[in-house]
């Protein structure tokens, strides 16, 4: 593999466009699946939270296996790329089916969603794990990885904005019968586009030729778990995924019951995502000046301050609430960029030290835990709703008590703030920096 730092623009763009698939699948279920279950099918909030959680919890077990399989792949089309095309296409088709099933009787609707979402989570594991593993093999330069992640996060923000911003509009335009089905078709097409773009754009890109590990999966997982910096980075990211999942799950509820204004869900969602389109390059400058670790800390503080501002905005105008959500959005951009650029550094240092390619196992554990965190977010929000006495309905027109409305707001503000504060404590103990990564690469190259 070439050792120069620059990747072709085609590779950066193609790889980044894969985030259209990951962003769409990561966002729309978190935004609309819980309301679909509670207010369209009529499932109780606690059970709906379990239906959202359990299929993604499966990924905690499956993702490391997917990583091990892709690590050992010798496919002539590349170690990772064939997985992108096959699993991404399957995911697109399965997502269309997710919202296309029966809604009555209630038990049948719940069963359909649970099975379809489990199938989606399985396909997503075999797309996401190879996709996230690729940067550690595409370049040895930690600064170039940050640039690659800047492209990815900017496109990710655009994909989240497009899918999450339009999905509620499409749902409302389609009405009770076709709204959610049209959302499934729309997101399925986005996933298919991102899949093909990533597969095509990375064709011919040189990858690091690191031998597959000889140890079994269990031994690899033990070695990965023994990496202190990986554990701390993972814990930080998972806690933040939990908080973000809680925030996303609350958008539709806050818009309807706290704000009570048409189009408020789209406005709040745009304020959450749109800042990333502007500030992601600025976060890259922070990384160049202060390092990724310090930049990640600053982004986490923005997340925390934004969540506290949302808590303080209770009872105020939509404009005040939207401004507080925008602060969260600024932090969210950095909280996506930095850890996704730091993970390949951790995996590459391990490969330099051991001479074996465990990158897929690292990313399998990472994406499995991330998926669990994002799934626990709606589950946590559903638990807050249940504690507040939220009343589910197949029509969505039931009046909610003052206690339930308070729970809706707390789940969208103070609860995520506490989780984000815990993530900051974990990040403070992380020690790997750019100098250590470069020294590791130099040592391997000269040995």
């Amino acid at each position: 593999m070439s050792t120069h730092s620059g990747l072709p623009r085609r590779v950066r763009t193609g790889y980044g466009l894969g985030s259209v698939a990951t962003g769409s699948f990561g966002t729309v279920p978190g935004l609309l699946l819980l309301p679909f279950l509670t207010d369209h099918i009529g499932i109780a909030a606690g059970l709906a939270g379990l239906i959202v959680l359990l299929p993604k919890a499966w990924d905690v077990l499956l993702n490391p296996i997917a990583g091990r399989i892709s690590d050992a792949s010798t496919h002539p089309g590349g170690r990772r790329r064939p997985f992108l095309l096959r699993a991404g296409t399957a995911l697109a088709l399965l997502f269309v089916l997710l919202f296309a099933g029966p809604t009555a009787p209630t038990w049948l609707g719940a069963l359909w969603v649970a099975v379809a979402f489990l199938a989606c989570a399985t396909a997503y594991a075999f797309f996401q794990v190879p996709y996230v593993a690729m940067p550690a093999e595409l370049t040895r330069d930690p600064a170039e990885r940050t640039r690659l992640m800047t492209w990815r996060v900017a496109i990710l923000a655009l994909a989240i904005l497009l899918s999450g911003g339009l999905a509620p509009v499409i749902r409302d335009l389609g009405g009770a019968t076709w709204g959610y089905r049209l959302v499934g078709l729309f997101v399925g097409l986005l996933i298919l586009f991102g899949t093909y773009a990533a597969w095509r754009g990375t064709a011919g890109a040189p990858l690091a030729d690191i031998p597959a590990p000889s140890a079994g999966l269990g031994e690899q997982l033990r070695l990965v778990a023994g990496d202190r910096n990986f554990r701390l980075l993972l814990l930080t990211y998972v806690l933040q995924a939990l908080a973000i999942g809680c925030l996303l799950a609350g958008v539709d509820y806050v818009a309807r019951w706290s704000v009570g204004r048409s189009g408020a869900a789209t406005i709040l969602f745009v304020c959450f995502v749109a800042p990333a389109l502007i500030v992601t390059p600025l976060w890259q400058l922070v990384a160049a000046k202060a390092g990724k670790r310090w930049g990640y800390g600053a982004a986490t503080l923005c997340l925390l301050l934004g969540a506290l501002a949302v808590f303080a905005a209770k009872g105020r105008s939509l404009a005040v609430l939207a401004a507080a959500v925008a602060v969260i959005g600024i932090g969210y951009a950095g909280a996506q960029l930095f850890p996704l650029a730091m993970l390949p550094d951790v995996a590459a240092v391990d490969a330099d030290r051991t001479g074996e390619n465990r990158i897929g196992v690292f990313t399998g554990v990472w994406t499995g835990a991330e998926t669990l965190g994002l799934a626990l977010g709606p589950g946590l929000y559903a638990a807050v709703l249940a504690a507040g006495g939220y009343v589910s309905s197949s029509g969505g027109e039931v009046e909610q008590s003052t206690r339930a409305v308070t729970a809706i707001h707390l789940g969208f503000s103070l609860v995520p703030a506490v989780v984000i504060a815990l993530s900051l404590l974990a990040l403070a103990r992380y020690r790997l920096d750019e100098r250590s990564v470069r020294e590791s690469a130099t040592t391997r190259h000269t040995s």
Side-chain angles (χ1 to χ4, degrees), residues 54-325:
L54 293 180
K56 287 198 171 186
W58 158 243
D59 278 353
V60 176
L61 301 175
L62 181 61
N63 281 27
I65 297 173
R68 163 71 169 176
I69 292 172
S70 68
D71 277 346
S73 172
T74 57
H75 194 283
R79 181 182 290 132
R80 317 287 180 186
R81 289 181 61 252
F83 291 96
L84 303 186
L85 185 62
R86 295 169 184 172
T89 301
L91 175 61
L93 295 174
L94 289 167
F95 197 90
V96 174
L97 295 176
L98 177 62
F99 290 108
T103 57
T106 301
W107 69 266
L108 183 58
L111 180 62
W112 178 281
V113 173
V115 172
F117 202 36
L118 177 64
C120 286
T122 301
Y124 185 60
F126 282 92
F127 177 89
Q128 185 194 28
V129 174
Y131 178 69
V132 176
M134 291 180 75
E137 299 172 335
L138 285 169
T139 176
R140 299 295 303 160
D141 185 352
E144 179 63 16
R145 292 190 191 117
T146 304
R147 287 189 286 271
L148 184 63
M149 287 304 106
T150 300
W151 280 75
R152 180 188 169 189
V153 171
I155 295 174
L156 176 67
L158 187 59
I160 292 173
L161 187 62
L162 180 66
S163 62
L166 290 182
V169 176
I170 292 172
R171 177 198 60 184
D172 295 342
L173 289 176
T177 302
W178 288 100
Y180 280 105
R181 293 177 181 177
L182 290 175
V183 167
L185 180 61
F186 167 65
V187 175
L189 290 173
L190 288 178
I191 292 171
L192 195 60
F193 168 76
T195 292
Y196 180 77
W199 175 77
R200 184 70 176 174
T202 55
L207 299 176
D209 187 16
I210 306 172
S214 56
L217 178 61
E219 177 65 12
Q220 290 181 60
L221 289 173
R222 186 186 69 78
L223 293 171
V224 166
D227 190 310
R228 181 177 184 273
N229 284 312
F230 176 72
R231 292 200 313 270
L232 292 170
L233 186 63
L234 179 64
L235 178 59
T236 303
Y237 192 64
V238 169
L239 287 172
Q240 291 178 8
L242 170 60
I244 295 302
C246 198
L247 285 163
L248 284 174
V251 167
D252 197 62
Y253 293 95
V254 169
R256 284 188 291 125
W257 299 109
S258 292
V259 179
R261 176 175 162 182
S262 177
T266 299
I267 292 171
L268 292 177
F269 188 81
V270 168
C271 288
F272 174 69
V273 178
L277 298 175
I278 301 171
V279 303
T280 297
L282 300 179
W283 282 125
Q284 182 185 343
L285 293 177
V286 171
K289 295 291 185 182
K292 300 175 195 177
R293 181 163 60 99
W294 289 103
Y296 194 11
T300 303
L301 281 175
C302 281
L303 279 176
L304 178 59
L305 292 175
L308 293 174
V310 169
F311 175 70
K314 187 177 188 297
R316 299 179 182 271
S317 67
L318 175 59
V320 173
L321 180 60
V325 170

